[in-house]
Amino acid sequence: MKKRLNLFTVFRDVWRVAPVKFFWEYFFTAVDGIALALTAVALEKLFAAVLLFAEGKIFVWDVLRAVLVLLLLYLASEAGSGIASYLGETYSGLTVQKMRKRIHEKQGRFHTIDFEEPEFLNEMQRACAGAWQQRAFANIIMDILTLYLPYFLIYGVYLYRRKPVLALAIPLIFLPKLLAQVIKSRMYLDLEEKTAPLARKEEAYASYAAERDYVKETRLLNTVDIFIERWRGVRSRHDQLILKVQKRAYFAEIAALLLHLAGYAGVIGILLVSVFKGDIAVSAFAAVFASLSALIEQMDELIGERFGELAENYAGIKNYRAFMERETAPQEGGELEEYREINLKKVCFSYPGGEDVLKDIDLTINERTRLAVVGENGSGKTTLARLILGLYIPTEGEVCYNGISTARLCYGKLQKQASAVFQNFRKYKMTLCENIDIAADEPAAQMGVEEALNQAGITLSKEVFPEHLNTMLAKEFGGVDLSGGQWQRIAIARGIYKKSGLIVLDEPTAAIDPMQEYELYQTFLNVAKEKIAVIVTHRLGLAKACDKIIVMQEGRILDAGCHEELLARCEYYKRLWDVQAAGYVTAYN
Ligand code: ADP
């Protein structure tokens, strides 16, 4: 990760956002810089004119001309700076949009399992912060080239012609400040790395305590105080780290300031001695003295702020670049057109940093098979469903579709023909129609949104959906709130709507009562007739209606077969069945 940053690519990325605007922004910045530097010359001319006028050697018009030149230069500097900053604002907005889009595109190419790794999430968070810093970084470099450099060069030549030692002494007195900046930026880079995980924790605890999705549960559980307490704990650790760095940075700054002031006093001394010795004219002394404060302000801004920002942004960009260069899942390989057969061969799987949660899975699912996956919590059902979908790639063994290993298929397109509804499905704060049709570029053959909703048991009544399919499903956006069961049906409708050859249902029905759930699954099995369907379920009555059942235990397939076979030979399955049969057998038979 300690790679050097290619500054050219940073610039290229930034100026390509809007090249014409880019040009004008820095054209006007240069106008500002040049005009500002020339004011020293104009000031000297004005002072000289005033002296000559006092001696009666020139007319008042000559003095007024010098005043006019000075005013025009001030005006040019102000106008240049105003126009440049207006262009800069719009440019920043555009750049952020573009960089963010790139990050999102990149995110889409990672393995889904990467999102389970905290370090990956930290990197992503840092990259998002670093995205806009590219523009800030390029902006500072461009300001140095078009504002500060012309200004210091013109001013430097002016000073050199008056008294060469001044041209050398002035930059030297800023050296301590520059050093202090370098030290500070290193400290802050280190700090950012240490605090990223803390910031994520803070955000999580804060959202548990106050966000709409959590607030009801946290109130009921009476856990608000606990979350606030935890948030405070993490926040104060975060603050302590910041404070430590701030203290050290403060000392570095004080030391630099003392050295700087000593140098400043030296420069004033040189100026005075030069006037007394007659090396420079009184008008030149007055001009240098008067413009010195502007110079110091510029230098301070450059070293105290802009260099510091430069270093901070540099660190941020490195994070952004490292993320953008991070290896993604291979994007080449064939595309799946259909599912005739899915094979899992000696598949093992572990989550990052963990032990195997699936072991030696051998499984074949043929076309038009409805496979039920049963077993106790934590036995690996959901993980297996994700492997079947190609969302996770096995750590050992392989998954093949129609005899082709996932290694030879394009990872990014593995789910193009697959559909799934998970337990933790998402509730999109969009319209009802959008909640369904975001699922697919292309809907399932001849199926419209209304039909998908209908099959999932949603009735489009005026009371619940006043604006029919255009009803917004979020109260905060002026729409309606739905019950948990209705949301589940919407998630299922979304799963049905997408054109797919493989459909996976991972118990998304917890909020639907058993009778309705049974009906829903029947509809679902019907829809899935022509497909491969995988249903993860606790309800064995439902599993019974499938063509094949696999029984999972501690990450392994304990047994597989149809209901009757399992009942006859699998002790564990029989036990599960007997426990449930009493409650559900009437409903399912
Ligand atoms: P089931 O669906 O049968 O309840 P899962 O597939 O969800 O089982 O989980 C199987 C095992 O994998 C469990 O031990 C669980 O703790 C672990 N596991 C699940 N998700 C993750 C994750 N994101 N990171 C680490 N371990 C996980």
Side-chain angles (χ1 to χ4, degrees):
M1 217 56 88
K2 292 270 174 223
K3 260 175 75 176
R4 284 192 52 189
L5 189 62
N6 183 346
L7 290 182
F8 174 72
T9 49
V10 175
F11 271 90
R12 196 195 46 201
D13 279 5
V14 174
W15 83 265
R16 274 189 183 166
V17 170
V20 177
K21 269 206 178 84
F22 190 83
F23 170 80
W24 285 115
E25 182 184 350
Y26 296 107
F27 172 80
F28 284 107
T29 309
V31 168
D32 177 21
I34 293 168
L36 202 61
L38 289 177
T39 52
V41 183
L43 262 178
E44 185 182 330
K45 289 223 181 318
L46 176 63
F47 290 140
V50 171
L51 286 177
L52 288 174
F53 177 68
E55 290 169 19
K57 290 182 181 163
I58 56 170
F59 294 112
V60 69
W61 309 116
D62 298 316
V63 178
L64 286 180
R65 193 160 358 106
V67 171
L68 189 68
V69 171
L70 188 64
L71 284 181
L72 281 177
L73 284 173
Y74 280 140
L75 194 71
S77 163
E78 283 300 314
S81 134
I83 298 173
S85 66
Y86 167 75
L87 288 170
E89 283 294 316
T90 42
Y91 207 89
S92 293
L94 284 176
T95 320
V96 170
Q97 283 173 28
K98 210 159 202 171
M99 305 285 161
R100 274 296 177 125
K101 184 161 174 268
R102 267 196 223 145
I103 291 192
H104 291 314
E105 281 164 2
K106 178 83 181 180
Q107 281 170 346
R109 292 198 288 272
F110 285 106
H111 280 114
T112 10
I113 192 70
D114 292 336
F115 292 80
E116 305 291 334
E117 244 182 292
E119 188 42 39
F120 174 81
L121 299 177
N122 286 342
E123 269 182 38
M124 200 155 66
Q125 189 179 358
R126 289 200 295 258
C128 286
W132 72 265
Q133 289 174 304
Q134 294 223 112
R135 148 74 190 168
F137 182 84
N139 181 40
I140 296 171
I141 298 277
M142 286 307 293
D143 277 354
I144 290 175
L145 293 177
T146 58
L147 176 73
Y148 298 105
L149 202 63
Y151 175 77
F152 292 136
L153 270 181
I154 296 173
Y155 198 81
V157 169
Y158 168 76
L159 282 180
Y160 189 82
R161 288 174 58 183
R162 300 290 171 277
K163 181 90 186 158
V165 70
L166 283 177
L168 296 173
I170 290 180
L172 271 183
I173 65 174
F174 286 94
L175 211 60
K177 285 198 168 187
L178 191 63
L179 272 176
Q181 273 312 323
V182 174
I183 295 170
K184 267 169 52 184
S185 66
R186 280 176 186 260
M187 289 181 197
Y188 280 109
L189 176 63
D190 197 37
L191 178 71
E192 195 179 314
E193 263 172 32
K194 281 193 192 135
T195 52
L198 297 179
R200 270 170 28 79
K201 269 193 193 164
E202 273 167 45
E203 206 179 302
Y205 289 136
S207 67
Y208 301 157
E211 267 181 25
R212 182 172 181 258
D213 285 349
Y214 292 98
V215 79
K216 295 181 197 79
E217 186 165 317
T218 44
R219 287 275 166 86
L220 267 175
L221 296 173
N222 208 10
T223 47
V224 177
D225 290 344
I226 296 176
F227 289 129
I228 298 280
E229 211 32 59
R230 291 207 175 179
W231 176 84
R232 259 165 40 95
V234 182
R235 182 69 235 176
S236 69
R237 243 182 303 151
H238 194 159
D239 285 343
Q240 275 164 11
L241 286 175
I242 295 178
L243 212 65
K244 211 163 113 191
V245 169
Q246 275 175 344
K247 250 193 228 158
R248 281 197 269 154
Y250 184 67
F251 284 125
E253 259 176 28
I254 294 277
L257 186 68
L258 290 176
L259 286 171
H260 169 78
L261 288 177
Y264 187 59
V267 166
I268 302 280
I270 295 174
L271 264 177
L272 285 172
V273 171
S274 306
V275 175
F276 285 125
K277 281 168 71 183
D279 287 352
I280 59 172
V282 175
S283 58
F285 170 81
V288 174
F289 195 76
S291 55
L292 207 56
S293 63
L295 174 80
I296 288 186
E297 201 181 296
Q298 290 290 324
M299 277 276 198
D300 252 351
E301 188 181 284
L302 177 64
I303 294 174
E305 291 172 29
R306 310 303 298 271
F307 277 168
E309 286 168 21
L310 200 64
E312 261 172 49
N313 291 324
Y314 184 81
I317 298 171
K318 275 179 107 171
N319 293 333
Y320 170 77
R321 288 272 152 193
F323 184 75
M324 293 308 275
E325 280 162 24
R326 201 185 153 113
E327 203 180 333
T328 55
Q331 300 299 311
E332 54 290 334
E335 210 173 299
L336 259 184
E337 295 299 335
E338 53 176 356
Y339 289 92
R340 289 190 306 277
E341 187 188 75
I342 303 175
N343 273 101
L344 279 76
K345 300 179 188 167
K346 295 254 161 292
V347 163
C348 297
F349 181 80
S350 58
Y351 285 95
E355 301 198 333
D356 277 355
V357 294
L358 288 181
K359 295 154 212 148
D360 288 327
I361 304 282
D362 278 307
L363 174 67
T364 299
I365 319 172
N366 295 315
E367 61 186 330
R368 297 179 186 201
T369 298
R370 287 156 315 167
L371 174 81
V373 184
V374 302
E376 60 202 24
N377 280 344
S379 58
K381 304 185 293 296
T382 295
T383 311
L384 179 67
R386 289 182 178 159
L387 276 148
I388 291 173
L389 279 162
L391 285 170
Y392 294 166
I393 300 296
T395 30
E396 271 175 56
E398 61 177 356
V399 176
C400 297
Y401 299 104
N402 313 332
I404 309 168
S405 164
T406 42
R408 285 171 44 216
L409 292 165
C410 172
Y411 177 78
K413 294 186 179 152
L414 272 182
Q415 291 85 37
K416 222 173 152 206
Q417 301 294 333
S419 178
V421 193
F422 296 114
Q423 295 160 40
N424 56 349
F425 58 83
R426 296 288 118 199
K427 301 168 182 173
Y428 298 101
K429 291 173 181 175
M430 302 197 285
T431 66
L432 175 61
C433 187
E434 286 167 337
N435 257 281
I436 307 301
D437 72 8
I438 47 155
D441 312 330
E442 196 188 351
Q446 283 136 30
M447 177 170 314
V449 170
E450 285 203 44
E451 189 180 341
L453 285 165
N454 191 17
Q455 293 206 5
I458 292 266
T459 317
L460 283 169
S461 68
K462 263 260 171 261
E463 292 75 50
V464 187
F465 302 105
E467 289 176 57
H468 202 64
L469 289 178
N470 291 325
T471 307
M472 169 57 72
L473 303 189
K475 259 234 164 87
E476 57 268 52
F477 297 146
V480 299
D481 248 351
L482 297 183
S483 70
Q486 281 164 322
W487 272 116
Q488 287 186 333
R489 287 175 195 277
I490 285 173
I492 291 168
R494 185 158 57 228
I496 295 173
Y497 180 76
K498 182 179 174 189
K499 185 178 174 195
S500 61
L502 164 67
I503 187 158
V504 171
L505 221 62
D506 184 359
E507 292 189 299
T509 49
I512 299 174
D513 71 62
M515 278 304 283
Q516 287 182 8
E517 182 194 28
Y518 182 69
E519 276 165 29
L520 194 61
Y521 273 108
Q522 286 301 337
T523 317
F524 175 77
L525 289 176
N526 212 15
V527 172
K529 246 191 342 246
E530 304 293 314
K531 315 179 184 209
I532 292 180
V534 177
I535 300 163
V536 175
T537 181
H538 271 109
R539 304 213 203 275
L540 298 191
L542 174 67
K544 188 180 167 201
C546 291
D547 306 308
K548 185 174 173 180
I549 304 168
I550 58 173
V551 185
M552 300 287 299
Q553 197 179 41
E554 291 172 11
R556 294 178 192 274
I557 296 181
L558 181 68
D559 209 338
C562 68
H563 172 73
E564 284 73 25
E565 288 168 345
L566 290 175
L567 213 51
R569 67 166 184 243
C570 180
E571 192 52 38
Y572 176 67
Y573 182 81
K574 187 171 180 319
R575 256 204 337 264
L576 286 180
W577 175 257
D578 288 341
V579 171
Q580 289 191 8
Y584 292 113
V585 79
T586 22
Y588 291 133
N589 277 327

